[in-house]
Amino acid sequence: MAYKIKKDPINQIPKVQLVFWIIVRIAMLVCAAYSFIKGGRANIVMGWESIFCWIFTHLWDLFQILGNSSFIEEVPPISQTMLNAIIFIGIVFGSYLGFFDKYMWFDEFMHIMSGLACAVFGYDFAVIIQRKKGPCAVTLAAMFSIMFALTVAVGWEFYEFLMDSLHGTNLQLAKAGEETAMFDLSKYHNEYGYLGLFDTMTDMMMNTIGGIIGMIFMIIYRKKKK
């Protein structure tokens, strides 16, 4: 079968979700423009980060256009909506409004959101994979949903560890630096290693909580859809 590029079926996107997508995409372009105009190494990095995030807000559209009638076309818009919510909150509030630096709880909140979004995608992904063999059992989709969220969480911690080890970053807060200045080290046995362990395990637990919330949400959401 010849490869075909399709037209983006935006009529399949619920209007409220489509409006939200457009708002997020505009916000990413505004953030990028602001960073590039302001200049400076840190702002340039943030500008490119905003551009990459703008591209990620189009994943569902790319699936539909380039999917060539594969299973990827069946990914529902709700997955993109959840991803856009994380991008908007993380970039606009977290990075540009400084919530990551001002509020220690914000990073945990983002991990909960990440787990929730991954669980939402994982639930529908299980249903899509199983489609040729008949309807997917709710229990199977739910189990795949939470496992998918936890797998992504582990993958993210692998990424942080490798970046810290190979490029000298401090994503896991395992050494002194600007990232750890807000922490009272006496609460962590006066050891950066323990602080790093605490941060990693807290992130994993927050992702798990988000995954459970996302799993429950999808069970209820898809049941109502039927």
Side-chain angles (χ1 to χ4, degrees), residues 104 108 172-173 183 187-188 192-205:
M104 294 180 63
E108 297 174 3
Q172 292 191 308
L173 308 180
F183 292 91
K187 296 180 179 179
Y188 305 96
Y192 285 107
Y194 186 80
L195 171 60
L197 175 63
F198 186 89
D199 175 72
T200 298
M201 295 310 300
T202 300
D203 290 348
M204 293 289 292
M205 286 187 282

Side-chain angles (χ1 to χ4, degrees), residues 9 15 26-27 29 38 46-47 61 65 69 76 86 104 112 116 143 149 160 180 208 217-218 220:
K15 285 185 173 56
I26 292 174
L29 293 177
K38 192 173 182 180
M46 279 304 305
D61 306 82
I65 295 171
S69 300
I86 291 177
M104 294 180 63
I112 292 175
L116 193 157
M143 290 176 61
E160 288 192 346
T180 56
T208 302
F217 167 77
M218 287 305 291
I220 298 173

Side-chain angles (χ1 to χ4, degrees), residues 106-169:
F106 190 76
D107 181 62
E108 297 174 3
F109 170 74
M110 288 305 299
H111 276 281
I112 292 175
M113 288 291 294
S114 174
L116 193 157
C118 289
V120 168
F121 176 81
Y123 189 98
D124 281 330
F125 195 55
V127 174
I128 293 170
I129 294 174
Q130 186 72 12
R131 72 195 190 289
K132 291 185 178 180
K133 298 181 180 180
C136 181
V138 173
T139 51
L140 178 60
M143 290 176 61
F144 187 89
S145 172
I146 187 66
M147 289 299 106
F148 184 82
L150 292 178
T151 300
V152 172
V154 171
W156 178 258
E157 295 304 325
F158 282 177
Y159 161 76
E160 288 192 346
F161 175 77
L162 289 174
M163 289 297 291
D164 288 354
S165 300
L166 301 178
H167 294 284
T169 56

Side-chain angles (χ1 to χ4, degrees), residues 67-75 121 125 128-129 131:
N68 196 35
S69 300
S70 67
F71 72 91
I72 202 67
E73 291 184 6
E74 298 181 41
V75 174
F121 176 81
F125 195 55
I128 293 170
I129 294 174
R131 72 195 190 289

